[in-house]
Amino acid sequence: MRLAFISDIHGNAHALEAVLKDIETRNIDKLFVLGDISYRGLDPQRSVDMVRELDAEVIKGNADEWLVRGVRQGEVPDKVIEGMNLERDWAFSKMTSDAINYLKELPEEINAEYYGVKIHGFHAAPTDLFEVVLPSEPDKLIKERLMTNEAAHIYVYGHIHKPYIRHIDGKVIINTGSVGLPFDGLAKPSYVIVAIEEDGIESSIIRPSFDLRELIEEVKTSDYPNKELLGKLLINASI
């Protein structure tokens, strides 16, 4: 059973197209989308439309929640909240009510099982769409924050835009990285493949390419608020 996990598209339909084309070449049996589909990118509506056309299990991320109801105080530093809500309002204005309602109604976790291997998927943490758990955290914190479903063998999440694969107590913890806004210094989309067979598990991080220069030119000529910031995030692949 070959599974693909993608997350954090952030309205970057160019990168999403590249990832989906790459997935088509890899004999994937099941696709999962771990949230943050539209906010902070030029193509919020198109990104939702593309995801809805997939035969995929989709869950909600914090940016999907922001699109539905706005960014609230305490969720981000006070100095950036006004600008982030300008970006949210821009994206909201580009989307249909049906697309917004789709994001609103998304579930918040995935529970799957193949060949007796149980997978728990979520956006940021099992009970919190906003929690940040970085790859550098000690084992104890990873277990407390991410591995609360003790029956699971594989834990997969997004949110931090930094892909990694880690093993703790014989279990696998995976971050998909980001399709649309990688923050690990490599300006390429990121997603994960997990192959589960009767005799074992194999996991890998995939980094396909796309035409970043074309996207940057579109950002420069767009009416997107904070487009200078968006361009820097895309080019530098870091915050």
Side-chain angles (χ1 to χ4, degrees):
M1 194 71 175
R2 291 176 60 79
L3 315 174
F5 295 84
I6 70 174
S7 188
D8 295 270
I9 299 159
H10 289 284
N12 188 342
H14 287 267
L16 179 57
E17 283 181 339
V19 166
L20 294 178
K21 286 180 181 178
D22 191 81
I23 287 173
E24 286 178 0
T25 69
R26 296 181 183 270
N27 300 315
I28 298 301
D29 298 299
K30 181 68 176 180
L31 175 62
F32 298 89
V33 182
L34 305 186
D36 281 10
I37 297 169
S38 294
Y39 171 82
R40 187 161 273 177
L42 293 187
D43 294 304
Q45 179 67 43
R46 185 178 168 209
S47 297
V48 169
D49 290 342
M50 291 172 68
V51 167
R52 295 181 76 175
E53 290 172 0
L54 300 171
D55 181 15
E57 190 169 343
V58 185
I59 60 173
K60 182 187 291 187
N62 64 295
D64 304 312
E65 183 71 9
W66 281 339
L67 261 175
V68 171
R69 48 79 164 168
V71 184
R72 295 174 180 168
Q73 270 196 316
E75 294 175 342
V76 299
D78 288 344
K79 65 181 179 180
V80 301
I81 191 169
E82 182 179 358
M84 291 184 70
N85 268 320
L86 283 174
E87 293 178 77
R88 177 266 174 188
D89 293 346
W90 182 91
F92 189 91
S93 73
K94 304 292 184 182
M95 299 177 70
T96 65
S97 58
D98 180 58
I100 296 295
N101 190 62
Y102 170 77
L103 297 180
K104 180 181 179 180
E105 299 300 324
L106 286 173
E108 295 187 9
E109 67 174 348
I110 290 165
N111 288 286
E113 182 174 349
Y114 303 96
Y115 298 112
V117 176
K118 295 179 180 179
I119 300 170
H120 191 202
F122 40 86
H123 179 68
T127 59
D128 188 341
L129 292 176
F130 296 88
E131 186 164 3
V132 175
V133 181
L134 297 172
S136 58
E137 303 289 3
D139 287 3
K140 183 176 184 293
L141 188 143
I142 296 284
K143 291 165 70 173
E144 290 174 352
R145 303 285 177 83
L146 302 182
M147 301 171 68
T148 55
N149 181 350
E150 295 182 1
H153 304 97
I154 301 174
Y155 305 85
V156 190
Y157 73 114
H159 188 54
I160 61 172
H161 299 213
K162 295 183 177 183
Y164 73 90
I165 299 171
R166 185 165 167 179
H167 299 84
I168 299 176
D169 294 344
K171 298 187 176 187
V172 187
I173 302 90
I174 301 171
N175 190 279
T176 63
S178 173
V179 169
L181 279 175
F183 288 163
D184 64 342
L186 179 60
K188 291 186 176 185
S190 175
Y191 78 97
V192 165
I193 292 176
V194 177
I196 302 175
E197 306 295 344
E198 293 183 9
D199 57 351
I201 300 168
E202 180 181 356
S203 54
S204 53
I205 296 166
I206 312 298
R207 304 300 293 262
S209 297
F210 77 108
D211 193 340
L212 179 59
R213 290 174 297 178
E214 180 182 352
L215 176 57
I216 294 301
E217 287 305 310
E218 290 183 17
V219 171
K220 289 179 179 177
T221 59
S222 74
D223 63 347
Y224 189 83
N226 289 345
K227 62 184 178 182
E228 291 81 8
L229 172 62
L230 179 58
K232 288 179 181 178
L233 291 174
L234 290 165
I235 292 170
N236 297 331
S238 65
I239 52 176

